[in-house]
C-alpha cells in the first residue's frame, strides 16, 4: 500500500475533500451493464412506480461505491482502504431529467487507531436526505 496521507499529518476532525457525484439515468444504465444488475427499478420509471417507488432509484452498491471514492481519492491508493461498511437507509431517486440527481459526500477522521490506521466517518446525502447510514471506513495511513 502506498497511501499518500501520513498518519502523522492527520488528527481527529481532519476533513476529507467533499465531493458531489451527478447521477443520471445513463449513469445507472452504464452501472447496470458493468455490475450485471439489470433490475428494472434502476432504469424503468413505469416499473418503479408499479412497485411503489417514487421513480427510478440508483443501485445501492453504486451509491456505496461513490462514497468510498471520497476515501480512496483522499488516500491516493484504493488498497489502503481496509474496511468499509454502510447501511442502506434511503434510496437515491433519479428523475428522468438532464440533471438527474446528485450524491453529496463529506467525511472526517473520527478516530485514530493503532498501527497507523484511522476510522473515517462519512455523511452521504441526496436531495438533502441521508441516503447511507453509518458509512465508515478504516484506512491504513502511511
Amino acid at each position: 500500500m502506498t497511501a499518500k496521507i501520513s498518519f502523522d499529518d492527520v488528527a481527529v476532525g481532519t476533513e476529507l475533500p467533499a465531493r458531489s457525484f451527478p447521477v443520471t439515468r445513463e449513469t445507472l444504465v452504464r452501472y447496470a451493464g458493468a455490475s450485471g444488475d439489470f433490475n428494472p427499478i434502476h432504469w424503468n420509471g413505469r416499473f418503479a412506480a408499479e412497485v411503489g417507488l417514487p421513480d427510478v432509484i440508483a443501485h445501492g452498491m453504486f451509491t456505496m461505491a461513490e462514497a468510498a471514492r471520497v476515501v480512496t481519492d483522499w488516500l491516493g491508493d484504493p488498497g489502503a482502504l481496509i474496511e468499509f461498511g454502510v447501511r442502506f437507509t434511503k434510496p437515491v431517486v433519479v428523475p428522468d431529467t438532464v440533471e438527474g440527481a446528485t450524491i453529496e459526500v463529506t467525511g472526517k477522521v473520527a478516530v485514530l487507531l493503532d498501527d497507523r490506521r484511522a476510522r473515517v466517518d462519512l455523511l452521504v446525502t441526496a436531495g438533502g436526505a441521508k441516503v447511507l447510514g453509518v458509512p465508515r471506513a478504516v484506512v491504513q495511513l502511511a
Side-chain angles (χ1 to χ4, degrees):
M1 285 176 267
T2 57
K4 296 190 178 10
I5 304 296
S6 172
F7 184 84
D8 300 325
D9 294 335
V10 300
V12 170
T14 298
E15 294 185 9
L16 282 63
R19 296 277 309 269
S20 296
F21 300 98
V23 186
T24 64
R25 297 281 176 97
E26 179 183 354
T27 309
L28 299 180
V29 169
R30 289 176 183 269
Y31 182 82
S35 69
D37 181 352
F38 292 100
N39 187 325
I41 64 173
H42 302 303
W43 56 270
N44 184 317
R46 180 185 43 76
F47 185 85
E50 287 175 2
V51 298
L53 294 169
D55 207 336
V56 165
I57 61 170
H59 303 72
M61 294 301 287
F62 172 81
T63 305
M64 184 177 175
E66 295 293 57
R69 278 179 60 187
V70 170
V71 179
T72 59
D73 286 353
W74 175 68
L75 289 167
D77 175 14
L81 178 61
I82 305 300
E83 296 176 22
F84 189 69
V86 306
R87 289 190 192 136
F88 300 107
T89 56
K90 187 170 183 162
V92 175
V93 177
V94 182
D96 191 11
T97 63
V98 173
E99 300 82 20
T102 302
I103 298 169
E104 304 282 349
V105 184
T106 60
K108 65 181 177 181
V109 174
V111 179
L112 297 175
L113 304 167
D114 294 333
D115 299 324
R116 302 183 73 80
R117 292 182 178 192
R119 190 185 87 210
V120 174
D121 291 353
L122 301 170
L123 174 62
V124 184
T125 62
K130 280 177 57 172
V131 295
L132 295 179
V134 198
R136 288 186 175 162
V138 174
V139 299
Q140 181 67 60
L141 300 173

